[in-house]
Amino acid sequence: MSNGQWYPPEWPERIRALANGELTPAVPRRAATVLLLRDGAQGTDVYMLRRRTSMAFAGGAYAYPGGSVDPRDDDRHVDWAGPSLAVWAKRLGVGESEAQAIVCAAVRETYEEAGVLLAGPTADSVVGDTTGDDWEADRVALVERELSFAEFLARRGLVLRSDLLGVWARWITPEFEKRRYDTWFFVAALPAGQRTRNASTEADRTVWIRPSQAAGGYDRGELTMMPPTITTLRQLEPYASAAGALASSAERDLTPVLAQARLENGELVLSWPGHDEFTKHITLETPEPDETPAPDSASRNGSTPEPEPEQPHPPHPPHPQHRTHQNGPTA
């Protein structure tokens, strides 16, 4: 494979089962992922992490901080700065309580995985150093879901800075995947005075990198990424500053991107509407005559084993793109 695109080896069989009506798609979980940006020496840099190869979902892939929405943040009171919940609900295409939980997830995951907190004691400030033992104890409690983000903010008297976020894209995990996520991608600028750190147990490496540099690594097959990750990287390339990318987010099209699959002339054809670079044709092997089961075996019971599909060659170990704490999405 010429690039670092990731396709799990079980996809062909699951796609065929879906086409045959033998697979019921899982209901996607709400999730949020954040492209944390800063102004670097040669333009905008983005913060990325590499998921551990042991991760059940996208192990080895490069992604952004992100994870599942905590439903406890749907209706708890949150001190809020920036656009109102009504504005966020309209932008995200959901109800106000869902909008609150999705934005909370974006801010919480950035704190859990990068140590950066988009909140402050007032509507026009952000916290400074969050590396003390008491902060770390709260961060761990958030990771373990012992503490909801709304409770965390209330305990510390913090205001969530929704004005520091812009929503960038929305991708939904394909129907043939075991773990499915309805993920909103956000952009945010690194607040002055805060520093990132690898606070995630799910990542073995973190890096600040120019989007063009990361995309080049993907094109050369050096970095593994899932389609939403490489797509959003390419979309960031034209922006010379984090502020410019954040400002442009208000005009971004949030039509959900959902992969499609079809059987065509002995091939499985994968495609992501509007993203032709990910279209993939997977040839399915057909059994040789001497591989046909004898009448006294499985066929006698009316069930002939299906041919094994050709396994797509995994490039490099998959990377993090959409994650949850239950080995879920990280974009």
Side-chain angles (χ1 to χ4, degrees):
M1 189 173 294
S2 60
N3 57 30
Q5 189 173 333
W6 177 60
Y7 288 102
E10 69 271 14
W11 272 13
E13 193 63 35
R14 292 185 61 82
I15 292 168
R16 185 161 51 186
L18 181 66
N20 292 337
E22 301 166 354
L23 178 67
T24 300
V27 176
R29 299 177 60 177
R30 297 173 300 166
T33 288
V34 179
L35 286 66
L36 188 61
L37 310 174
R38 73 177 184 187
D39 294 336
Q42 299 180 0
T44 305
D45 293 335
V46 61
Y47 183 76
M48 302 190 77
L49 52 84
R50 184 176 64 187
R51 291 172 63 80
R52 295 184 183 278
T53 56
S54 59
M55 298 299 295
F57 186 89
Y62 277 81
Y64 315 115
S68 292
V69 167
D70 185 342
R72 294 177 297 177
D73 292 329
D74 278 29
D75 51 16
R76 288 286 300 255
H77 172 74
V78 172
D79 285 335
W80 194 270
S84 67
L85 282 176
V87 171
W88 273 109
K90 182 178 180 180
R91 181 73 176 117
L92 296 173
V94 299
E96 290 188 18
S97 62
E98 289 183 275
Q100 174 174 294
I102 292 166
V103 174
C104 278
V107 177
R108 187 196 71 240
E109 291 291 337
T110 306
Y111 178 52
E112 288 182 7
E113 297 197 336
V116 170
L117 183 56
L118 305 177
T122 64
D124 58 358
S125 65
V126 292
V127 298
D129 185 10
T130 62
T131 59
D133 290 344
D134 58 334
W135 284 100
E136 181 61 13
D138 278 353
R139 192 194 67 81
V140 172
L142 288 169
V143 171
E144 299 297 330
R145 296 296 183 263
E146 297 170 355
L147 183 67
S148 75
F149 194 63
E151 293 168 338
F152 165 75
L153 293 174
R155 173 189 294 183
R156 288 190 168 270
L158 297 175
V159 179
L160 185 148
R161 294 288 306 276
S162 81
D163 55 317
L164 299 182
L165 287 166
V167 63
W168 190 263
R170 182 181 179 184
W171 287 65
I172 301 177
T173 309
E175 291 183 333
F176 43 83
E177 259 286 21
K178 293 180 181 179
R179 297 176 177 85
R180 301 191 64 213
Y181 303 95
D182 184 352
T183 305
W184 283 264
F185 286 71
F186 292 82
V187 290
L190 178 68
Q194 292 199 34
R195 300 179 62 182
T196 55
R197 61 190 178 92
N198 183 7
S200 173
T201 59
E202 298 178 3
D204 60 11
R205 182 175 185 241
T206 62
V207 62
W208 281 101
I209 189 170
R210 295 194 315 279
S212 59
Q213 183 182 357
Y218 169 90
D219 290 334
R220 293 188 299 272
E222 298 168 358
L223 303 179
T224 302
M225 300 177 197
M226 294 171 69
T229 308
I230 182 58
T231 297
T232 48
L233 280 173
R234 296 201 200 285
Q235 292 167 344
L236 283 175
E237 288 187 43
Y239 297 96
S241 69
L246 189 60
S248 72
S249 66
E251 307 301 323
R252 297 286 307 171
D253 180 9
L254 296 185
T255 301
V257 179
L258 175 64
Q260 299 176 352
R262 66 183 186 275
L263 297 171
E264 184 177 282
N265 300 323
E267 289 184 326
L268 289 175
V269 182
L270 299 180
S271 62
W272 277 256
H275 303 275
D276 293 342
E277 74 167 295
F278 304 123
T279 299
K280 184 171 181 63
H281 297 255
I282 303 174
T283 302
L284 298 179
E285 296 180 356
T286 55
E288 297 296 330
D290 60 355
E291 294 177 350
T292 302
D296 60 346
S297 63
S299 62
R300 189 165 54 193
N301 298 322
S303 60
T304 301
E306 293 184 341
E308 288 293 323
E310 178 181 346
Q311 300 299 316
H313 301 293
H316 302 277
H319 126 151
Q321 186 211 343
H322 274 53
R323 92 164 226 303
T324 67
H325 293 289
Q326 295 76 25
N327 297 338
T330 292

